[in-house]
Amino acid sequence: MPPKSVSALRRLRLVSTPEAISFLLLLVCSVLKRTTEFNAVPVVGAVHGGLFVLYVLFWADAWNRVRWPLGRAAFMFVLSVLPAGGFFADKALRREEEAGVIAARARKEQDSRRVNAEKP
């Protein structure tokens, strides 16, 4: 996996957890708005909206760079619209990112061995 693909996965993973937390906070604030005088929905809604836009942008970038199949890309998008789905996305993306890093290190080591073998 190219380094840019790994960084795209990392960006998506790093925004998935805050997006999930903000979604859950927005749900709590919505309930509190209707049951009490507390109304933090405008602020939490704006924060969540910004994080959701970032998630969608990073999702599109990761889909483009990693070349996910349509089913995998759709699954990652659906996780963004489910409460707590971002936590599951983080876990799946972490595994994929780690596999990409391992593959990149192995490729780099193989290249360095090849260069050293070619030296007189």
Side-chain angles (χ1 to χ4, degrees):
M1 183 178 294
K4 288 187 178 187
S5 297
V6 173
S7 64
L9 290 174
R10 184 172 295 131
R11 279 191 302 271
L12 181 58
R13 186 178 63 80
L14 290 176
V15 79
S16 66
T17 299
E19 192 271 337
I21 292 169
S22 71
F23 194 179
L24 294 173
L25 282 174
L26 182 59
L27 293 175
V28 169
C29 288
S30 295
V31 170
L32 289 175
K33 176 183 175 183
R34 285 162 178 55
T35 58
T36 67
E37 297 294 319
F38 184 74
N39 184 12
V41 171
V43 174
V44 176
V47 169
H48 172 67
L51 288 170
F52 180 74
V53 168
L54 278 177
Y55 185 95
V56 171
L57 290 173
F58 292 160
W59 165 81
D61 183 47
W63 185 11
N64 182 44
R65 291 182 190 271
V66 180
R67 303 282 186 221
W68 281 328
L70 182 60
R72 177 78 172 159
F75 176 70
M76 286 301 179
F77 183 79
V78 167
L79 287 177
S80 73
V81 296
L82 296 175
F87 298 118
F88 297 106
D90 176 65
K91 186 176 180 180
L93 291 165
R94 182 182 308 254
R95 276 187 258 126
E96 199 168 337
E97 178 188 342
E98 287 171 354
V101 168
I102 290 169
R105 285 180 183 163
R107 190 170 40 254
K108 186 176 180 181
E109 185 177 318
Q110 184 180 22
D111 290 345
S112 68
R113 285 182 183 168
R114 187 179 318 126
V115 168
N116 289 337
E118 293 173 357
K119 288 183 180 179

